[in-house]
Amino acid sequence: MMLLKIGFVRGVKWFALFGLLATYQWWSGNMEGVYNMLVYGGMAFFLGLTSVIYEVKRWSFPKQILIHWVTMHVTILPLVIFSGFLPVSSLRDALMVYLKFNVSGLVLFTLSRMLLKVRQQIKTS
């Protein structure tokens, strides 16, 4: 329960930041900017909320990866699809968005794993 609270606080902090940016956009009269900041805020909220997945010590690393992959598909992917950032007017478009989502997730995951390993090596030297 403590990890859920920590994740929720992380998510709210990030959403609040994007909320401030949305407020600035609103004051500037940029309604598209308000929409974009709120969508980004939603994504940041879910990323903050789910960031605790890798802190659950009793789960194996493969289980953490699977849970992370599933939660990103339930939270972030719908925001990407319905945000309008990537046009989806056909099944082919939807499949391309899905492919881009998974490839970008794989690239980000691989980069973060490499950076984590480098960081651990630096700490131990």
Side-chain angles (χ1 to χ4, degrees):
M1 192 59 147
M2 189 62 162
L3 284 178
L4 183 60
K5 182 180 176 184
I6 292 169
F8 185 76
V9 169
R10 287 178 188 169
V12 168
K13 285 179 182 178
W14 279 107
F15 187 80
L17 173 65
F18 281 98
L20 287 172
L21 294 171
T23 303
Y24 174 76
Q25 294 294 328
W26 178 70
W27 280 333
S28 300
N30 182 1
M31 296 315 288
E32 183 179 344
V34 171
Y35 176 77
N36 290 343
M37 290 302 113
L38 291 176
V39 171
Y40 292 144
M43 291 177 184
F45 171 76
F46 286 123
L47 289 171
L49 180 65
T50 59
S51 66
V52 296
I53 290 171
Y54 294 100
E55 295 177 33
V56 179
K57 301 294 183 203
R58 66 180 180 269
W59 290 348
S60 66
F61 188 60
K63 182 176 182 177
Q64 291 171 335
I65 294 170
L66 179 64
I67 291 171
H68 175 256
W69 186 80
V70 169
T71 56
M72 292 300 105
H73 279 73
V74 172
T75 58
I76 304 298
L77 183 59
L79 285 171
V80 169
I81 291 173
F82 296 119
S83 68
F85 296 157
L86 299 170
V88 180
S89 58
S90 68
L91 181 59
R92 184 177 189 279
D93 291 344
L95 290 173
M96 289 307 294
V97 168
Y98 184 74
L99 179 66
K100 287 178 184 179
F101 180 80
N102 281 295
V103 167
S104 63
L106 184 60
V107 167
L108 289 170
F109 176 79
T110 303
L111 285 173
S112 18
R113 279 299 287 169
M114 288 173 29
L115 289 172
L116 183 64
K117 286 187 178 198
V118 167
R119 182 176 163 210
Q120 288 173 342
Q121 287 176 349
I122 290 172
K123 275 186 170 182
T124 58
S125 349

